[in-house]
Amino acid sequence: NAGVMQNPRHLVRRRGQEARLRCSPMKGHSHVYWYRQLPEEGLKFMVYLQKENIIDESGMPKERFSAEFPKEGPSILRIQQVVRGDSAAYFCASSLPGQPSYEQYFGPGTRLTVT
Amino acid sequence: ELKVEQNPLFLSMQEGKNYTIYCNYSTTSDRLYWYRQDPGKSLESLFVLLSNGAVKQEGRLMASLDTKARLSTLHITAAVHDLSATYFCAVVYFGNEKLTFGTGTRLTIIP
């Protein structure tokens, strides 16, 4: 059973470009979460999605960031017009609804560097 | 504002010693998790604590939860070098599914 998959693992973008980060949840998992980890800091929640629905986006910056989880295909975190402050590790996690522990399983992360 | 605080932030200890990492949180929670992160890597789940008084052990690590005190501890017994990593606690609040992470404790085990 494959774990949570993220790609790319490393992404370099120049200021002003767009970054697209992909996340494929574990098989059977329909809940996806995105977290951001700035250098030397803990993880901060960004957004929680279920298939075709955004459930909680309270951690998303108001501008330039968007997320989706379509009926088919991976979840996408999109950052438009990237700035240096967007440089961070972005982790995706997935969980299985109905599981008592609601444990979230994390992917390997995408490390975004903005030059 | 929801807060999850860990202490210490940095911990350097000798092999063979015992120590405890503390995780305090500000609001009633129904779930608490401990994760390990190695440099440049993802998060590895260590423990899930679901109820007051819960205690779980795996190898040299033991985690406990006191929901009344809003406190969880991660105890390390007879530390070995392989335990060097950053440890995070994370809390889920009632009616919410997002994880609120603590600040992390960077543990270094010295031979």
Side-chain angles (χ1 to χ4, degrees), chain B residues 5-70:
Chain B
E5 296 182 341
Q6 286 180 237
N7 69 82
L9 298 183
F10 299 93
L11 177 56
S12 182
M13 54 190 291
Q14 287 186 316
E15 277 191 329
K17 300 289 188 183
N18 303 334
Y19 210 82
T20 301
I21 299 170
Y22 298 89
C23 172
N24 292 273
Y25 52 97
S26 61
T27 305
T28 303
S29 166
D30 61 350
R31 279 170 274 152
L32 189 141
Y33 304 83
W34 282 97
Y35 289 93
R36 168 184 172 145
Q37 186 180 36
D38 292 296
K41 303 292 185 183
S42 186
L43 278 75
E44 175 190 352
S45 177
L46 296 175
F47 299 108
V48 180
L49 302 170
L50 300 177
S51 60
N52 187 41
V55 177
K56 291 197 174 180
Q57 183 163 5
E58 181 72 35
R60 300 174 187 275
L61 301 178
M62 182 174 70
S64 66
L65 178 62
D66 181 344
T67 57
K68 292 178 182 174
R70 297 178 187 165

Side-chain angles (χ1 to χ4, degrees), chain A residues 22-48:
Chain A
R22 294 174 182 77
C23 168
S24 296
M26 287 180 70
K27 187 175 181 180
H29 287 197
S30 57
H31 295 198
V32 165
Y33 313 79
W34 286 92
Y35 295 86
R36 177 166 65 176
Q37 185 176 32
L38 295 170
E40 306 299 323
E41 293 189 14
L43 279 76
K44 296 284 195 290
F45 168 80
M46 298 182 75
V47 62
Y48 163 36

Side-chain angles (χ1 to χ4, degrees), chain B residues 55-94:
Chain B
V55 177
K56 291 197 174 180
Q57 183 163 5
E58 181 72 35
R60 300 174 187 275
L61 301 178
M62 182 174 70
S64 66
L65 178 62
D66 181 344
T67 57
K68 292 178 182 174
R70 297 178 187 165
L71 171 69
S72 179
T73 60
L74 181 65
H75 187 73
I76 303 151
T77 302
V80 294
H81 181 68
D82 287 351
L83 291 178
S84 295
T86 299
Y87 293 85
F88 291 98
C89 64
V91 175
V92 175
Y93 294 90
F94 286 119

